[in-house]
Amino acid sequence: MIASVLTQGQCQIWWAGPDDRTEESMAVVLNERELGRAARFRRPADRRRFVTGAWLLRTASAAQLGTSPQDVAVDRSCPDCDRYHGKPELKGDGAHLHVSISHSGDRVVVALTEEGPLGVDVEAVPAEPVDDLARCALTAWEQAQLDALPRHERYEAFVRLWVRKEAALKATGHGLRISPTEVEVSGPFAEPALLSWPLDIPPAHVRFRSLHPGDGYVATVAVITGESAVTVAERRALPGRTTRVTDDGLLVAA
């Protein structure tokens, strides 16, 4: 069992690994467009991460909606082109459920809530210098925060800043169509908060919660909720070849 039905004010975080299940056992719940996108990945590792994320989104959502994973109406239409790579949205009866997906290395994560639009991001801590990445992603104030740290601490510190920016922009659906240099967040080892950005949504309405992806990774979720408080429940999808939703709405991996 990996999750129960959402409670008021809750955001559920579901973790899985791309090697926990066979690709074939996960692909059976994907729709035609998802399968087509999966087939276009050149690297098997990238394809497995995508398939795992699509499977986990459908299976986790089905547990909330009381339906089968293959019947969850997921739309990934892009507002800028005809490619099927936009922010996932649930249509029909699931329109009240907000969802987000991220993956990096051997971590795949799905976030779900009814409280408001959300974005989740997980990133592996880089092993190489982050100076070039930082110049493209950080504001002057954030760069100063990074420069004040010993060099060996900057790798994780940069990723802490990055996941907050990306999670917030994924929550609005803009993604990196807005430059991360236009988004300023709190210092890397301070309580995560959005300080400023070019959107009309007040920064205080974006609530961050730090997640626990394990050693070598950093992750956060951002929920746009206004004044509402948000609690987070993290679960792991237990390895197995098949899953089912029980009569009381629980997801069981066998």
Side-chain angles (χ1 to χ4, degrees):
M1 179 172 63
I2 63 173
S4 58
V5 174
L6 282 161
T7 59
Q8 185 174 1
Q10 186 183 65
C11 173
Q12 281 189 4
I13 305 296
W14 293 17
W15 293 99
D19 296 320
D20 288 349
R21 295 165 180 78
T22 66
E23 193 172 325
E24 293 78 9
S25 70
M26 295 185 289
V28 294
V29 305
L30 273 57
N31 66 24
E32 184 176 350
R33 297 194 72 180
E34 288 167 331
L35 292 171
R37 181 177 173 189
R40 287 192 290 273
F41 284 99
R42 295 183 178 181
R43 296 176 56 205
D46 293 335
R47 186 184 66 249
R48 289 188 62 83
R49 279 189 287 267
F50 171 78
V51 170
T52 302
W55 168 85
L56 187 58
L57 173 65
R58 287 180 166 277
T59 308
S61 300
Q64 305 303 322
L65 302 175
T67 187
S68 61
Q70 55 265 41
D71 289 334
V72 175
V74 182
D75 181 21
R76 297 169 179 261
S77 299
C78 176
D80 297 325
C81 68
D82 59 359
R83 295 176 63 190
Y84 200 57
H85 61 180
K87 178 184 178 182
E89 295 184 4
L90 303 188
K91 299 298 185 180
D93 293 339
H96 64 287
L97 188 64
H98 303 276
V99 298
S100 184
I101 305 174
S102 183
H103 41 73
S104 178
D106 60 2
R107 301 293 194 276
V108 178
V109 61
V110 164
L112 307 95
T113 190
E114 295 180 343
E115 298 307 303
L118 84 166
V120 68
D121 193 48
V122 60
E123 299 289 344
V125 176
E128 303 296 330
V130 295
D131 297 348
D132 291 342
L133 291 172
R135 281 191 289 269
C136 296
L138 303 185
T139 67
W141 180 83
E142 291 165 341
Q143 183 70 64
Q145 300 292 303
L146 203 66
D147 291 344
L149 296 172
R151 182 165 292 276
H152 69 278
E153 294 183 13
R154 295 178 190 175
Y155 300 174
E156 182 174 338
F158 169 76
V159 177
R160 285 174 176 264
L161 298 172
W162 175 261
V163 295
R164 297 172 192 174
K165 291 169 180 270
E166 183 153 0
L169 292 174
K170 288 173 74 172
T172 68
H174 288 86
L176 295 181
R177 287 176 292 162
I178 291 179
S179 170
T181 59
E182 297 185 62
V183 179
E184 191 160 87
V185 296
S186 54
F189 298 105
E191 189 71 18
L194 178 64
L195 303 182
S196 65
W197 63 352
L199 302 177
D200 292 335
I201 302 167
H205 287 189
V206 180
R207 307 297 183 91
F208 290 109
R209 294 292 182 269
S210 297
L211 305 178
H212 304 87
D215 292 344
Y217 292 85
V218 176
T220 195
V221 63
V223 186
I224 302 175
T225 65
E227 302 302 321
S228 301
V230 176
T231 60
V232 168
E234 295 189 60
R235 303 286 189 269
R236 179 169 177 83
L238 301 176
R241 296 179 62 87
T242 61
T243 57
R244 63 185 178 89
V245 181
T246 65
D247 292 340
D248 54 358
L250 301 179
L251 181 66
V252 176

